[in-house]
């Protein structure tokens, strides 16, 4: 009897060992994890910050060539402009051209910058009465006044105004009032020349101031008209450029 029980115990032990060995050979499973959403607090998740874009450098505007025509007040905003031939307030009593802004060669304007800088130290400024004049405008002047003493004959050669380096100017104070000069514009009497002996001392001093500052910065003064100055650089006659109206 005891022998039989011993045999049964051994059999049960063998079965138990087999079961344990079988369980040990089974693959281990990871415990399932459940994702739980975080409790909402009423705030939305922040959006990702935008990636900064690279800004390409912009090119600086090209500086004009000395021969280019430019509007004077684009470079000298303090200059006064009253083009006499754009209205009827001139010796012809007629409008000679339609545009109202002064245009000159850029090389001439650069010289005027230096002139204007000197005058600003004295509380003064230039006032432009005439600048670039088209050849067609010169023919109109000649039709009205065919006298070479006062108007260049376009049939024999172009006016220097048609080259873009000549201008007619006077001086104004900080309020824009014109200084006293020997005569008004387009006065064709002897008092308009640069003798200055037949005008007041104040007018002579103002005319000399204008002449000196212009000559100091590359302009030559026409003897017969105190207001008339030529760039010492002689440009070609311009037959195609027409200032916008």
């Amino acid at each position: 009897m005891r022998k039989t029980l011993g045999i049964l115990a051994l059999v049960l032990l063998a079965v138990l060992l087999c079961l344990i060995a079988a369980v040990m050979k089974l693959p281990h499973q990871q415990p399932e994890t459940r994702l739980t959403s975080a409790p909402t607090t009423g705030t939305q998740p922040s959006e990702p910050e935008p990636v900064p874009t690279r800004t390409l450098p912009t090119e600086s505007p090209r500086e004009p060539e000395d021969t280019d025509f430019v509007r004077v007040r684009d470079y000298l905003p303090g200059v006064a402009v009253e083009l006499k031939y754009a209205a009827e307030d001139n010796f012809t009593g007629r409008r000679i051209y339609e545009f109202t802004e002064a245009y000159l060669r850029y090389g001439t304007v650069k010289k005027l910058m230096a002139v204007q800088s000197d005058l600003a130290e004295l509380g003064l400024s230039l006032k432009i009465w005439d600048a670039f004049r088209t050849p067609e405008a010169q023919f109109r002047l000649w039709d009205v006044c065919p006298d070479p003493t006062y108007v260049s004959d376009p049939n024999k050669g172009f006016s220097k105004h048609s080259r873009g380096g000549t201008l007619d100017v006077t001086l104004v104070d900080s309020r824009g009032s014109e200084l006293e000069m020997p005569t008004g514009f387009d006065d064709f009497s002897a008092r308009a020349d640069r003798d200055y002996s037949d005008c007041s001392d104040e007018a002579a001093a103002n005319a000399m101031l204008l002449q000196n500052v212009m000559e100091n910065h590359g302009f030559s003064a026409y003897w017969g008209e105190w207001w008339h100055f030529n760039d010492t650089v002689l440009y070609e006659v311009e037959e195609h450029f027409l200032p916008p109206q």
Side-chain angles (χ1 to χ4, degrees):
M1 183 67 179
R2 292 180 178 177
K3 185 177 181 181
T4 302
L5 292 173
I7 293 171
L8 288 173
L10 291 174
V11 170
L12 291 172
L13 180 61
V15 172
L16 180 61
L17 292 174
C18 289
L19 290 173
I20 293 173
V23 170
M24 294 296 292
K25 291 181 180 180
L26 291 175
H28 293 282
Q29 295 182 354
Q30 297 294 330
E32 181 179 357
T33 57
R34 294 182 179 179
L35 298 177
T36 59
S37 59
T40 59
T41 60
T43 59
Q44 297 297 326
S46 59
E47 297 182 358
E49 295 184 1
V51 178
T53 58
R54 182 182 178 186
T55 303
L56 297 177
T58 57
E59 295 183 0
S60 300
R62 178 188 69 87
E63 183 177 12
E65 300 291 336
D66 283 358
T67 55
D68 290 343
F69 277 92
V70 296
R71 191 177 74 153
V72 175
R73 285 202 284 200
D74 285 343
Y75 298 90
L76 289 169
V79 165
V81 175
E82 183 186 351
L83 299 185
K84 292 294 189 179
Y85 295 126
E88 298 177 355
D89 181 23
N90 58 68
F91 79 99
T92 70
R94 302 181 186 180
R95 177 177 291 179
I96 301 301
Y97 45 67
E98 298 299 324
F99 53 90
T100 57
E101 284 288 346
Y103 283 80
L104 290 168
R105 304 279 188 176
Y106 182 60
T108 303
V109 171
K110 288 193 295 184
K111 294 181 178 182
L112 290 180
M113 292 179 190
V115 171
Q116 189 75 348
S117 177
D118 284 359
L119 291 174
E121 295 180 0
L122 303 174
L124 302 175
S125 172
L126 291 173
K127 182 175 186 178
I128 300 177
W129 281 331
D130 193 21
F132 172 68
R133 190 189 303 161
T134 64
E136 291 79 8
Q138 190 64 29
F139 274 100
R140 293 192 197 105
L141 276 177
W142 181 254
D143 290 341
V144 175
C145 182
D147 187 340
T149 304
Y150 306 120
V151 178
S152 298
D153 184 353
N155 298 295
K156 296 182 178 180
F158 292 95
S159 166
K160 288 186 178 180
H161 278 282
S162 298
R163 298 178 182 271
T166 292
L167 66 162
D168 300 329
V169 293
T170 188
L171 294 175
V172 295
D173 60 22
S174 59
R175 297 169 299 178
S177 300
E178 295 179 8
L179 271 59
E180 181 183 351
M181 290 294 182
T183 69
F185 178 62
D186 272 358
D187 182 309
F188 300 116
S189 68
R191 294 193 309 116
D193 63 28
R194 297 187 183 277
D195 178 70
Y196 304 146
S197 63
D198 47 4
C199 62
S200 70
D201 291 342
E202 182 177 357
N206 291 335
M208 280 300 304
L209 171 62
L210 175 60
Q211 179 177 340
N212 289 337
V213 71
M214 293 292 283
E215 289 180 336
N216 287 343
H217 293 292
F219 291 90
S220 61
Y222 173 56
W223 171 261
E225 299 171 347
W226 62 263
W227 58 82
H228 184 109
F229 295 90
N230 302 310
D231 192 333
T232 53
V233 175
L234 185 64
Y235 295 100
E236 295 294 328
V237 172
E238 177 55 51
E239 299 186 66
H240 303 290
F241 172 68
L242 180 63
Q245 297 182 13

